Amino acid sequence: MREELIVSGRMNRLIDPGLHIWHWHIPLYLFLGGLAAGILFFAALVTIQGKADKYPAAARLAPFATPILLSIGLLALLLDLNHKLYFWRLYTTIRLESPMSWGAWTLMVVTPLSIVWCALNIRDIFPGWDWKYPVLIRLEKFFKQNLLTISWILLVSSLILGVYTGILFSAFNARPLWNTSILGPLFLTSGLSTGAAAIVLLSRNTAERHYFTRIDLMLIGIEIFLIIHMFMGFLASTQVHIEAAQLFLGGPYTTVFWLFVFSLGLLLPAILEILELRGFSMPHWLAPVLVLFGGLMFRFIMAYAGQASRWLY
Amino acid sequence: MRYAMAVDTKKCVGCSDCVVGCQTENNVPIGYCRDWIVEVTDGTYPQLEIEIRSERCNHCENSPCVRCCPTGASHYAEGGVVLVTPDECIGCGACIASCPYDARYPHPEGYVDKCTFCLDNRVKKGLDPACVSVCPTKCMYFGDLDDPNSPVSRVLKKRKWKTLIPEAGTNPQLYFLI
Ligand code: SF4
Ligand code: SF4
């Protein structure tokens, strides 16, 4: 049998024998970014539709989590940097070719917007809230008057943030598993789904919960379709892409992916959601918690498996 | 100007002098390397062939590492040489993940490091890169591809060559004579 044996003398830390440059920080950052994007997208959407009062958890309650989620995400990104003191360099340039660059800028737009959004709704949490300083009161008035414009900006920027979490990976042709343009829509869908799940988790009114459960069910369907589509694309592509798919089809990531992401994170919550909508009584938290768990696992598995997929030469 | 290097896989014996020469010249931290030896054994026993390559950054003409860098720290310098400016590098690792050859490594001081073709410390002074000049078998050729009389242009005209994973679309400028 013809065989090829490759021996390399290189042994650089974090590079060999397998790439391990990104640890837990990046997948966590992508998960939190996607989750925040999902929540803010729905907040903006129901506000634009004029249904903010009908869906209070989506419009006002859930967004309170987003500045925290985004700050933890940014902190994780900062911790991931090896040359931390030069962090500010990210914000002295903008390079559209580099997803890391425009993504960091997108966060710089979305994070302040999420804080503004919370400030506008603070009386929902603290009914007696008083801004005290006239300048803040004027600012609040200004934002309230322009709520629709802010909602549109938030809608678009949250979508960009959601897609970015996938494009960050798909821009790397060196890692065949990541190098598929479906990853942008896939991570966006997953982010929206986790956002909807968070709203269901926080909502105290059945109509709203059912509305977002239906949305989540649809998103899970799209996600499953995109995942199957991704594997079909890989299997019909070049050898390195076939090998990338095989990481999940018999390779080392098979069990974790099909068990934690596909079964526990997509299929089971979908079944639970259908049952809930059909009127079976369920613990309301179960399906959304599974969706959130699946989303987190998905980012981790893609981050690690992607670094294991490579070109051989 | 287009700097490039050619490595003769028929002459290379895999002694690793180029690796040590580079580490010494460029103060590469202990345990790391900017160039390295790869041995590929291929065939059906007992008809085996061995190819030995001294590898390093390919100074790609279409470098994913330059494209992915958020700060512009990774950039094209004179003659298309791909360099990293340590003071601009935030150590995000995007370039490391983007290199199909895994030619980069995180320097213990935080920035990302890799082969520079010895551009500033030797080539600009008219010397060959350290690896080229220490090779005991003289298996490496360096120079400007735009100059038809440079050692690398001449040897690439005479000999058959290949580059590594050209299908990755990087247009590598490290040539292997076969
Ligand atoms: S070999 Fe890697 S580090 Fe060097 S230029 Fe090409 S992509 Fe960049
Ligand atoms: S690690 Fe440094 S050189 Fe590499 S992409 Fe990040 S900022 Fe650029």
Side-chain angles (χ1 to χ4, degrees):
Chain A
M1 189 180 68
R2 183 178 166 191
E3 275 185 295
E4 195 179 23
L5 189 73
I6 304 177
V7 182
S8 167
R10 192 184 61 201
M11 237 320 161
N12 286 337
R13 202 178 71 87
L14 302 181
I15 309 294
D16 303 296
L19 184 68
H20 201 66
I21 189 69
W22 284 343
H23 315 272
W24 55 270
H25 317 84
I26 294 285
L28 181 70
Y29 162 66
L30 296 182
F31 169 72
L32 295 173
L35 173 57
I39 294 175
L40 292 171
F41 172 81
F42 288 120
L45 186 70
V46 297
T47 307
I48 290 169
Q49 291 174 331
K51 293 182 188 158
D53 291 327
K54 201 167 157 202
Y55 303 125
R60 293 193 286 267
L61 188 58
F64 275 103
T66 55
I68 304 165
L69 297 173
L70 291 170
S71 313
I72 301 176
L74 269 170
L75 189 70
L77 179 66
L78 179 67
L79 286 178
D80 171 68
L81 302 181
N82 282 319
H83 222 194
K84 294 187 183 48
L85 287 180
Y86 293 80
F87 179 67
W88 53 275
R89 285 275 183 192
L90 256 183
Y91 293 110
T92 51
T93 25
I94 178 157
R95 300 194 63 254
L96 291 180
E97 287 181 324
S98 160
M100 198 64 127
S101 172
W102 61 256
W105 279 99
T106 308
L107 272 175
M108 265 308 130
V109 175
V110 175
T111 311
L113 275 180
S114 75
I115 295 171
V116 168
W117 198 270
C118 294
L120 291 181
N121 296 312
I122 193 122
R123 288 200 189 83
D124 262 44
I125 306 263
F126 306 105
W129 185 269
D130 178 12
W131 286 106
K132 287 207 183 76
Y133 301 99
V135 48
L136 291 180
I137 294 168
R138 271 209 302 281
L139 215 56
E140 185 191 24
K141 215 170 129 214
F142 170 78
F143 283 133
K144 281 231 156 104
Q145 276 162 355
N146 293 292
L147 189 61
L148 206 59
T149 318
I150 295 177
S151 304
W152 275 107
I153 299 174
L154 190 62
L155 189 83
V156 174
S157 55
S158 63
L159 281 178
I160 296 177
L161 177 61
V163 179
Y164 151 69
T165 62
I167 293 186
L168 181 69
F169 280 162
S170 69
F172 297 129
N173 89 336
R175 316 293 152 199
L177 177 69
W178 290 344
N179 192 213
T180 162
S181 48
I182 212 108
L183 226 53
L186 179 54
F187 275 33
L188 171 65
T189 315
S190 166
L192 291 176
S193 164
T194 52
I199 295 168
V200 174
L201 206 55
L202 292 172
S203 173
R204 277 178 237 111
N205 107 33
T206 317
E208 182 178 31
R209 224 171 30 228
H210 280 186
Y211 181 66
F212 281 95
T213 301
R214 269 197 297 280
I215 290 183
D216 193 39
L217 202 51
M218 188 183 75
L219 290 167
I220 290 180
I222 298 175
E223 219 179 313
I224 292 179
F225 166 76
L226 289 176
I227 287 177
I228 294 171
H229 206 59
M230 177 175 80
F231 283 123
M232 279 169 50
F234 280 143
L235 291 174
S237 188
T238 62
Q239 184 61 29
V240 287
H241 289 100
I242 296 173
E243 279 163 19
Q246 276 162 355
L247 289 169
F248 294 89
L249 305 171
Y253 290 91
T254 311
T255 319
V256 279
F257 179 76
W258 294 102
L259 179 66
F260 293 131
V261 179
F262 201 80
S263 305
L264 288 180
L266 294 169
L267 224 47
L268 185 60
I271 295 170
L272 293 174
E273 286 175 355
I274 292 173
L275 290 178
E276 160 129 36
L277 290 175
R278 292 260 166 104
F280 284 81
S281 90
M282 304 266 155
H284 300 310
W285 52 268
L286 190 56
V289 165
L290 284 172
V291 168
L292 288 166
F293 167 77
L296 183 65
M297 287 303 285
F298 188 35
R299 303 304 191 287
F300 269 86
I301 290 171
M302 285 306 280
Y304 285 97
Q307 296 184 80
S309 96
R310 55 166 306 172
W311 293 78
L312 263 191
Y313 59 95
Chain B
M1 188 143 54
R2 173 67 253 188
Y3 285 127
M5 190 184 283
V7 179
D8 192 341
T9 62
K10 297 282 188 246
K11 276 209 263 175
C12 176
V13 292
C15 69
S16 293
D17 265 13
C18 50
V19 181
V20 179
C22 168
Q23 286 164 331
T24 314
E25 165 71 27
N26 296 301
N27 269 321
V28 178
I30 292 176
Y32 293 90
C33 58
R34 287 182 178 184
D35 57 348
W36 59 92
I37 298 291
V38 171
E39 286 181 19
V40 183
T41 315
D42 187 12
T44 313
Y45 183 82
Q47 251 94 50
L48 296 173
E49 245 182 51
I50 188 161
E51 177 179 288
I52 306 180
R53 302 191 295 247
S54 165
E55 292 185 7
R56 61 192 52 51
C57 165
N58 293 269
H59 296 277
C60 307
E61 223 160 37
N62 181 23
S63 318
C65 57
V66 173
R67 195 166 54 235
C68 286
C69 177
T71 66
S74 283
H75 64 282
Y76 299 109
E78 190 183 310
V81 174
V82 174
L83 295 183
V84 181
T85 312
D87 283 359
E88 286 176 20
C89 173
I90 58 174
C92 67
C95 56
I96 292 181
S98 79
C99 172
Y101 311 92
D102 290 333
R104 296 172 164 245
Y105 68 90
H107 192 284
E109 276 170 29
Y111 55 88
V112 166
D113 194 35
K114 67 170 197 70
C115 160
T116 59
F117 267 175
C118 291
L119 184 68
D120 289 326
N121 44 339
R122 296 183 58 95
V123 171
K124 280 188 182 163
K125 296 177 188 153
L127 300 167
D128 271 337
C131 51
V132 176
S133 56
V134 295
C135 177
T137 67
K138 304 253 175 297
C139 81
M140 283 185 245
Y141 305 82
F142 181 79
D144 177 7
L145 282 184
D146 290 342
D147 168 9
N149 288 317
S150 70
V152 66
S153 300
R154 272 184 297 168
V155 77
L156 288 179
K157 230 174 284 163
K158 275 206 312 250
R159 294 276 302 272
K160 264 187 147 176
W161 52 261
K162 67 170 182 184
T163 52
L164 299 178
I165 4 177
E167 62 274 28
T170 51
N171 203 0
Q173 296 302 313
L174 177 60
Y175 297 82
F176 292 93
L177 308 175
I178 47 174

